[in-house]
Amino acid sequence: MAVDYTVIVVYLAGMLAMGWWGMRRAKSKSEFLVAGRRLGPAMYSGTMAAIVLGGASTIGGVGLGYQYGLSGAWMVFTIGLGLLALSVFFSARIARLKVYTVSEMLDLRYGGRAGVISGLVMWAYTLMLAVTSTIAYATIFDVLFDINRTLAIVLGGSIVVAYSTLGGMWSITLTDMVQFVVKTVGVLLLLLPIAVVKAGGFSEMKAQLPTEYFDPLGIGGETIFTYVLIYTFGMLIGQDIWQRVFTARSDRTAKWGGTVAGTYCLVYALAGAVIGTAAKVLYPNLASADDAFATIVKDELPVGVRGLVLAAALAAVMSTSSGALIACATVANNDIWSRLRGAVGPAGQEHDEVKGNRTFILLMGLAVIGTAIALNDVVQALTVAYNLLVGGLLVPILGGLLWRRGTAQGALASVVVGGLSVIVLMATHGILANEPVYYGLLASLATYVVVSLATKPTDEAVLAAWRERLAGRSPEPVSEPAAAHQ
């Protein structure tokens, strides 16, 4: 295992080095939070694919393949469909807004009164998303170094917090590009063909496994529908995803670069399911389906290759974790703390925006590590995050983009009713039940339509300013460089 350890250590050291390099680039708020909005198609596609394909897509995707066969691809497949829908239908408009958070978009659309509560909901979502990614370090580091869960979370989490705090989105972008390459080589080019060959090829897999393992809908129609509601719609509105859209150099880059990333996700989804199916042939009696990835890597791959594939799993977790962390910190600072500071402090007071955002990444990172140590169930934490996001924010966000008659009152009521409905239903039906997101979304939609129609239409001046921003005719407010306040 010495060679494998060397591969992993070099990889982790490289992540920290890129964090240091990114710190030298991040001199303004725009550079720190959205990489100066300068990413071209190749880098944009790679980083977008990296953030959406995390530990759940890699380890969890293989686990679903182990449990259900080829239909286990549906979870990651719906993530890819969501990214394709976002890229084709919405990303160009989102990129032209030149904002930093989803709540800022809501403020622009509805007149500055809808962002506070939405910021709290989005903060809760991004926090739980970062926590679930951080918990996944325990699995990977246990395979690598046989260390206990808490130490694994602290080790992996500290590396992500370090490079994210140093260079912000520049560091995360650079590390995500490396992680994208490592995942492509490790999972698609190495693990996939080796797993199929070790299982005896597709003919032997079909001979050894029940027919339903090769049924595209074997996982069940209701499960697929729930995946679409949670993951496809979740891709349309998550701060972690939007913040990557904001990094695009142009609306064309956002549209076509995202389309390439979404297509890559569809391929990755099928690859994970095939690897899991092969693992079922090789190890039919594993105690947990989620052990399939680690088991096939440990037992079937040669030295060196094993280290690279484990680095690929680590890359998957780190890319999602760092993206969720900077999204959580951006929302906490720009949507929550800045409003509180403005309410209690003197107006117009200058402050170092880069230093402030860097501080919030560090604080949120410490909170994420502490919460990850305290929680055990990744699936429940991820379900809570997506239920709150979709049930509370999907309707007012898409309504603002698609329905002119939507009002600030309708948006606020929709967030509150949808969010509370999800929380109550999770408490009464169970966190993993389908009802919370189903009925929460319906309650949010009904409330948005009824309250919007019952209240005064949005002021025409607000809508005119909104249309100017959507068309890309309004310049981005200039952020002061960090050096100006040092």
Side-chain angles (χ1 to χ4, degrees):
M1 287 287 285
V3 175
D4 297 326
Y5 291 158
T6 301
V7 172
I8 299 297
V9 170
V10 169
Y11 169 76
L12 294 177
M15 297 299 100
L16 292 174
M18 288 183 184
W20 182 261
W21 188 90
M23 182 176 67
R24 302 171 66 86
R25 294 288 301 269
K27 299 299 184 182
S28 70
K29 178 181 179 181
S30 175
E31 289 174 332
F32 190 81
L33 293 182
V34 291
R37 308 189 195 275
R38 295 207 300 261
L39 298 192
M43 188 165 281
Y44 178 85
S45 297
T47 58
M48 182 62 88
I51 188 177
V52 301
L53 296 173
S57 299
T58 303
I59 299 171
V62 172
L64 286 171
Y66 182 88
Q67 190 172 358
Y68 297 104
L70 298 186
S71 67
W74 273 105
M75 184 188 77
V76 183
F77 203 83
T78 55
I79 290 173
L81 292 177
L83 185 52
L84 285 171
L86 173 72
S87 301
V88 172
F89 299 113
F90 300 107
S91 63
R93 281 182 283 178
I94 293 170
R96 288 195 292 264
L97 289 174
K98 303 295 184 186
V99 296
Y100 292 99
T101 69
V102 174
S103 294
E104 285 182 46
M105 167 263 169
L106 291 172
D107 278 349
L108 280 171
R109 168 60 180 81
Y110 294 111
R113 291 168 290 174
V116 182
I117 296 176
S118 66
L120 289 171
V121 175
M122 189 63 78
W123 174 78
Y125 157 72
T126 53
L127 179 71
M128 295 308 291
L129 186 62
V131 166
T132 59
S133 301
T134 304
I135 290 173
Y137 294 130
T139 301
I140 299 170
F141 278 98
D142 177 57
V143 173
L144 288 174
F145 306 117
D146 194 25
I147 58 179
N148 70 60
R149 179 181 183 276
T150 298
L151 183 59
I153 289 171
V154 171
L155 178 60
S158 296
I159 293 170
V160 170
V161 172
Y163 73 68
S164 300
T165 301
L166 285 172
M169 188 59 83
W170 269 122
S171 295
I172 292 171
T173 296
L174 293 170
T175 55
D176 277 359
M177 276 305 297
V178 174
Q179 289 159 356
F180 170 73
V181 173
V182 171
K183 280 190 286 192
T184 301
V185 174
V187 175
L188 296 185
L189 301 184
L190 292 176
L191 182 57
L192 174 61
I194 290 174
V196 172
V197 169
K198 291 283 186 177
F202 285 104
S203 57
E204 182 65 20
M205 290 161 63
K206 287 185 176 181
Q208 292 287 335
L209 296 173
T211 306
E212 56 263 28
Y213 263 73
F214 302 91
D215 180 359
L217 303 179
I219 199 169
E222 185 177 356
T223 299
I224 295 170
F225 180 69
T226 303
Y227 284 159
V228 170
L229 276 186
I230 294 178
Y231 297 115
T232 302
F233 287 141
M235 287 295 107
L236 298 180
I237 58 175
Q239 170 68 25
D240 52 322
I241 308 302
W242 277 41
Q243 199 156 342
R244 295 310 172 100
V245 176
F246 301 150
T247 66
R249 185 169 60 199
S250 65
D251 53 8
R252 182 179 175 85
T253 296
K255 181 176 182 178
W256 295 110
T259 301
V260 171
T263 304
Y264 178 90
C265 291
L266 303 183
V267 175
Y268 201 88
L270 186 58
V274 171
I275 293 167
T277 305
K280 183 67 176 178
V281 174
L282 295 167
Y283 312 99
N285 299 312
L286 290 179
S288 169
D290 285 340
D291 293 337
F293 181 89
T295 303
I296 198 169
V297 169
K298 284 171 62 178
D299 294 352
E300 303 298 337
L301 300 186
V303 173
V305 173
R306 181 169 50 208
L308 183 60
V309 173
L310 287 172
L314 198 58
V317 176
M318 282 188 160
S319 56
T320 300
S321 181
S322 58
L325 176 59
I326 194 172
C328 179
T330 302
V331 171
N333 187 22
N334 293 272
D335 291 336
I336 301 173
W337 172 244
S338 64
R339 297 171 194 271
L340 296 175
R341 186 180 62 227
V344 301
Q349 185 177 20
E350 288 191 352
H351 61 281
D352 187 334
E353 290 181 309
V354 173
K355 182 179 179 181
N357 282 293
R358 184 173 280 136
T359 299
F360 265 86
I361 290 179
L362 179 59
L363 292 174
M364 292 301 103
L366 295 174
V368 164
I369 291 172
T371 307
I373 291 171
L375 292 180
N376 282 315
D377 197 316
V378 179
V379 175
Q380 289 198 3
L382 192 64
T383 302
V384 169
Y386 274 98
N387 280 353
L388 282 173
L389 178 71
V390 174
L393 291 180
L394 178 69
V395 170
I397 291 171
L398 293 189
L401 289 168
L402 299 173
W403 192 39
R404 189 174 184 275
R405 186 61 180 82
T407 66
Q409 296 89 338
L412 281 171
S414 176
V415 173
V416 173
V417 171
L420 289 177
S421 298
V422 164
I423 292 170
V424 170
L425 288 166
M426 283 192 296
T428 56
H429 289 73
I431 290 175
L432 299 180
N434 292 326
E435 286 82 1
V437 70
Y438 291 172
Y439 297 121
L441 192 55
L442 287 174
S444 178
L445 176 60
T447 302
Y448 181 72
V449 172
V450 170
V451 175
S452 291
L453 291 176
T455 52
K456 184 180 178 181
T458 304
D459 186 87
E460 187 54 42
V462 172
L463 290 177
W466 166 252
R467 287 193 293 270
E468 287 293 299
R469 291 294 284 267
L470 274 181
R473 290 190 288 265
S474 295
E476 176 184 359
V478 177
S479 62
E480 291 293 325
H485 303 295
Q486 293 176 347

